[in-house]
Amino acid sequence: MTRRKKIYEGKAKILYEGPEPGTLIQYFKDDTTAFDATKKAVLEGKGVINNRISEYIMTKLNSIGVQNHFIKRLNLREQLIKEVEIIPLEVVCRNVAAGSLSTRYGLPEGQALPRSIIEFYLKDDKLHDPMVSEEHITAFNWASTQEIDDMMAITLRINDFLTGLFGGVGITLVDFKVEYGRIYENEFARVILADEISPDSCRLWDSITNEKLDKDRFRRDLGNVIESYTEVARRLGIMKEMPTVIQGGLH
């Protein structure tokens, strides 16, 4: 087998050249990082679970008209995706006060917000992903006004869908991060959802106990990270073919 050409390696995923022009292969790693990668671990099986959860959510979103880069899952750790030109922004949607929002504004963690809040952050680890305004985004040409509008509209649609999806299985969607890319059709560029949606990129709390079922378990040394990710997959009904590799975990 010829060695595949690596296009990009991030903290949790690797992108390889795809089999056809305009496609890539997205590989989910077990590496886990927090606090700008100052905290690191390898959690066996995390990539397998995130691959399955992200496949499930992206497929569902596609079916309700939220276009994204997902084409199909290839195996336990890889997806075939459309190649997009990534917009260098992280788009965060918040429903409940948690994380940096609580710290920044002195809000008690767990307080419901008066409405969903969307924030933009510049994707730059060296600068610690600073929060940016629409003024910054348009002035520095990271995205156009139309693209900002599109990203906000799509993010709210995703929020509505995910709130219902998770709510139906007893999970509160506290907040989530998404990324977008441009896909070109002739001269026209369209914004579509990219990256992944998984417990790495969402805050998910049990609706009754408020137990954290997401990456905060790693950030805050709560243990049972893999078990919690597995529980999310189980509740969504996608655990049936999960391999035994993920039965162990971080204790």
Side-chain angles (χ1 to χ4, degrees):
M1 178 180 160
T2 54
R3 190 163 170 76
R4 293 185 300 189
K5 184 181 173 191
K6 187 193 292 187
I7 304 295
Y8 170 82
E9 180 163 2
K11 294 183 288 248
K13 294 184 295 296
I14 304 172
L15 295 177
Y16 293 102
E17 200 169 51
E20 286 146 25
T23 65
L24 295 172
I25 291 169
Q26 178 167 262
Y27 175 94
F28 286 76
K29 302 195 291 186
D30 286 341
D31 299 40
T32 306
T33 65
F35 313 118
D36 295 322
T38 53
K39 180 176 185 177
K40 298 178 186 175
V42 175
L43 303 178
E44 190 183 356
K46 181 188 76 110
V48 174
I49 306 169
N50 282 351
N51 184 17
R52 290 302 297 272
I53 292 175
S54 197
E55 171 201 16
Y56 179 79
I57 292 173
M58 291 290 192
T59 303
K60 292 268 190 193
L61 287 170
N62 252 327
S63 72
I64 62 158
V66 175
Q67 293 181 316
N68 58 67
H69 73 170
F70 178 79
I71 300 172
K72 65 178 180 179
R73 183 170 61 85
L74 298 173
N75 53 47
L76 286 177
R77 292 185 179 273
E78 294 179 333
Q79 298 177 353
L80 182 66
I81 59 170
K82 296 170 192 161
E83 185 173 13
V84 301
E85 180 187 288
I86 285 287
I87 294 169
L89 298 168
E90 294 182 345
V91 185
V92 174
C93 183
R94 301 181 182 274
N95 301 310
V96 177
S100 65
L101 188 77
S102 291
T103 313
R104 211 182 310 134
Y105 301 120
L107 301 171
E109 192 159 80
Q111 177 181 309
L113 300 175
R115 60 178 176 82
S116 300
I117 293 172
I118 293 181
E119 300 170 338
F120 292 94
Y121 295 83
L122 179 64
K123 273 174 59 75
D124 191 321
D125 285 345
K126 292 192 286 298
L127 300 175
H128 312 295
D129 300 332
M131 192 172 168
V132 293
S133 70
E134 292 183 39
E135 278 288 292
H136 295 120
I137 294 168
T138 52
F140 297 119
N141 205 26
W142 296 322
S144 68
T145 307
Q146 182 61 56
E147 287 172 334
I148 293 171
D149 290 348
D150 290 347
M151 288 188 285
M152 290 181 77
I154 299 168
T155 302
L156 288 173
R157 188 130 186 253
I158 294 167
N159 187 43
D160 285 345
F161 175 77
L162 290 183
T163 297
L165 179 74
F166 286 120
V169 294
I171 295 173
T172 300
L173 178 65
V174 173
D175 57 38
F176 64 94
K177 169 192 79 78
V178 283
E179 295 181 19
Y180 291 94
R182 297 179 187 97
I183 196 155
Y184 288 90
E185 286 145 354
N186 301 320
E187 294 302 299
F188 178 70
R190 191 159 44 87
V191 170
I192 67 168
L193 177 65
D195 196 44
E196 69 175 304
I197 297 179
S198 74
D200 266 11
S201 59
C202 303
R203 277 196 175 89
L204 304 169
W205 295 357
D206 182 275
S207 300
I208 295 168
T209 64
N210 281 345
E211 182 187 0
K212 294 172 174 60
L213 301 171
D214 55 68
K215 195 173 166 181
D216 271 349
R217 299 201 70 86
F218 174 70
R219 290 186 193 100
R220 301 183 185 190
D221 295 318
L222 299 173
N224 292 346
V225 182
I226 294 299
E227 287 82 349
S228 297
Y229 281 36
T230 305
E231 176 63 12
V232 172
R234 188 190 67 76
R235 290 196 197 184
L236 290 173
I238 50 178
M239 275 295 294
K240 300 173 192 65
E241 311 152 41
M242 290 302 238
T244 51
V245 66
I246 64 162
Q247 298 312 316
L250 187 76
H251 297 280

